[in-house]
């Protein structure tokens, strides 16, 4: 049995690992997608102390390497089931079962889906949720970005440097993105805003070929397109814990200042918990607290 299992290798989970490893615990980190979490898909970070500007990939690599060098054991599988009560905590993936004295959940947020016909079918075949990761596949092409917030605005600007034409589809009558981003978009000749519009369906054969767009008068038209980038935000992905850990009405974990949950030996860190600001700096802060509290908890049992 390992001392500590951490679910999620974003900034919160990796920081928690560094603190726990430094105190001599054995640590298994279970990560379902890629180390770095949301950080890894961020083009440029300008508000993490110590770096005037650093790419998300670089910062992810640095944190991952630090945790790995200190002895973290990484399992690149999704945590699918947990049993958190009692002295021995169990986390199951599709092919393995892990046991630990304490668990830190640092699973961040999951992408919000559009929910239209064709979205699931064409994900990875023209439908993407990450402009930074997939934009290069659409060089010289025509793409749609869906969303009106900062992420959608940043994605549209990023893609406008690669693609011939970018359509920005916004459900409301104005962008929610910060003004400087909205101003930059207005200056781009190859970005067209389609306000009070929505995608009803994504169509294609092997890959995306067109979308059915609906305007505010509910008129629909089919528009030829090569790619669809969905940037409509994030939500908690805490379903597998819902009968065990207390959550608020929006499914964020409830914890106290020490990242402790209602279950003894189970801590939460980062974007997955109720908190006013969700950023790398606050995720790292939670990780430091949760890692240290897990150390204290395990030492108190020995
Ligand atoms: C496009 C974008 C740009 C951003 N820009 C900035 C910025 O400039 N500055 C800033 O400070 N913040 C920025 N943020 C916010 C910042 O990235 C997050 O606040 C931070 O990454 C949260 O860290 P976390 O460790 O809590 O969660 P995440 O980074 O979300 O990491 C959680 C990890 O858990 C994994 N996971 C989830 N469920 C499971 C499971 N069941 N099993 C195993 N693993 C699982 C995920 O795959 C993920 O790797 C940005 C976010 C986005 C999306």
């Amino acid at each position: 049995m390992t001392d500590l299992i951490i679910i999620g290798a974003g900034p919160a989970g990796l920081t928690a690992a560094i603190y726990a490893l430094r105190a001599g615990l054995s640590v298994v980190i279970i990560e379902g997608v890629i180390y770095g979490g949301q950080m890894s898909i961020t083009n440029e970070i300008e508000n993490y102390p110590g770096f005037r500007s650093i790419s998300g990939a670089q910062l992810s690599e640095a944190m991952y390497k630090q945790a790995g060098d200190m002895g973290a054991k990484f399992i690149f599988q999704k945590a699918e089931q947990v049993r958190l009560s009692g002295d021995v905590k169990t986390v199951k993936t599709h092919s393995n079962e892990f046991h630990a004295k304490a668990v830190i959940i640092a699973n961040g947020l999951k992408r919000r889906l559009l929910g239209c016909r064709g979205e699931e079918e064409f994900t990875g075949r023209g439908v993407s949720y990450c402009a930074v990761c997939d934009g290069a596949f659409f060089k010289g092409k025509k793409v749609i970005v869906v969303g009106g917030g900062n992420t959608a605005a940043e994605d549209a600007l990023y893609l406008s440097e690669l693609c011939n034409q970018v359509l920005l589809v916004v459900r409301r009558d104005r962008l929610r993105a910060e003004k400087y981003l909205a101003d930059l978009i207005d200056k781009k000749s190859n970005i067209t805003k389609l306000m009070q519009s929505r995608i009803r369906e994504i169509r294609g054969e092997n890959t995306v070929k067109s979308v059915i767009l609906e305007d505010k008068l509910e008129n629909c038209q089919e528009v030829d397109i090569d790619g669809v980038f969905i940037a409509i935000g994030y939500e908690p992905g805490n379903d597998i814990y819902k009968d065990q850990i207390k959550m608020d009405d929006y499914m964020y974990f409830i914890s106290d200042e020490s990242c402790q949950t209602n279950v003894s030996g189970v801590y939460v860190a980062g974007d997955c918990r109720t908190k006013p600001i969700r950023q790398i700096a606050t995720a790292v802060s939670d990780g430091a607290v949760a890692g240290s509290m897990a150390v204290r908890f395990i030492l108190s049992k020995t």
Side-chain angles (χ1 to χ4, degrees):
M1 181 166 63
T2 190
D3 288 326
L4 175 65
I5 292 174
I6 298 173
I7 301 173
L14 291 171
T15 307
I18 290 164
Y19 274 71
L21 290 158
R22 260 193 105 219
L25 298 194
S26 57
V27 176
V28 166
I29 306 184
I30 298 176
E31 167 54 53
V33 184
I34 184 172
Y35 60 81
Q38 294 170 63
M39 194 167 61
S40 68
I41 58 160
T42 304
N43 196 21
E44 205 177 351
I45 296 160
E46 294 189 336
N47 55 4
Y48 188 70
F51 303 95
R52 179 64 195 84
S53 172
I54 185 166
S55 77
Q58 272 178 301
L59 192 53
S60 300
E61 186 67 33
M63 289 189 196
Y64 170 67
K65 192 167 180 318
Q66 189 174 359
D69 287 350
M70 291 173 75
K73 182 176 177 199
F74 286 90
I75 307 291
F76 286 101
Q77 292 178 2
K78 194 173 170 206
E80 293 183 347
Q81 275 181 48
V82 292
R83 203 169 51 244
L84 299 172
S85 59
D87 288 341
V88 179
K89 323 287 182 197
T90 304
V91 179
K92 286 186 187 173
T93 65
H94 73 282
S95 60
N96 282 305
E97 185 167 311
F98 301 90
H99 303 281
K101 297 172 191 163
V103 169
I104 296 175
I105 307 167
N107 61 345
L109 299 175
K110 66 174 184 188
R111 291 180 184 117
R112 196 168 278 143
L113 302 181
L114 205 51
C116 73
R117 193 186 297 175
E119 179 182 18
E120 202 183 330
E121 185 185 346
F122 291 107
T123 293
R125 295 189 291 134
V127 173
S128 167
Y129 300 85
C130 179
V132 176
C133 320
D134 298 331
F137 298 120
F138 297 88
K139 228 174 202 162
K141 298 199 168 168
K142 181 179 171 188
V143 298
I144 279 184
V145 175
V146 187
N150 282 349
T151 306
E154 280 169 8
D155 286 358
L157 288 166
Y158 178 77
L159 291 166
S160 72
E161 299 295 325
L162 298 168
C163 304
N164 276 353
Q165 203 186 346
V166 178
L167 305 181
L168 181 58
V169 173
V170 184
R171 200 161 42 99
R172 300 182 192 205
D173 58 357
R174 58 181 180 80
L175 287 179
R176 277 182 300 109
E178 284 176 55
K179 188 175 174 316
Y180 82 96
L181 290 171
D183 291 346
L184 285 174
I185 282 180
D186 287 339
K187 284 188 192 137
K188 284 278 178 179
S189 58
N190 64 341
I191 301 180
T192 307
K193 287 186 292 185
L194 302 171
M195 309 307 289
Q196 290 179 282
S197 301
R198 64 172 73 189
I199 292 184
R200 295 299 301 254
E201 188 180 339
I202 299 168
R203 292 182 173 172
E205 287 157 23
N206 281 332
T207 57
V208 168
K209 295 272 182 263
S210 66
V211 295
I212 304 294
L213 269 183
E214 184 188 273
D215 66 17
K216 65 175 173 185
L217 301 171
E218 296 185 3
N219 295 321
C220 288
Q221 58 163 326
E222 185 163 3
V223 176
D224 288 345
I225 209 83
D226 300 301
V228 179
F229 287 85
I230 298 169
I232 53 172
Y234 288 77
E235 58 190 0
N238 296 336
D239 309 34
I240 64 168
Y241 310 96
K242 72 172 183 273
D243 298 325
Q244 302 181 58
I245 312 253
K246 279 195 183 145
M247 300 180 202
D248 69 7
D249 293 343
Y250 303 96
M251 298 273 287
Y252 288 99
F253 294 123
I254 296 171
S255 67
D256 65 10
E257 279 271 317
S258 55
C259 296
Q260 167 75 58
T261 66
N262 57 302
V263 181
S264 171
V266 179
Y267 304 84
V268 287
D271 282 9
C272 60
R273 74 186 194 103
T274 54
K275 61 196 292 191
I277 308 286
R278 292 190 171 83
Q279 287 280 280
I280 298 165
T282 60
V284 160
S285 159
D286 281 359
V289 173
S292 306
M293 297 316 290
V295 170
R296 246 188 235 184
F297 171 80
I298 288 170
L299 293 182
S300 74
K301 296 271 174 188
T302 49

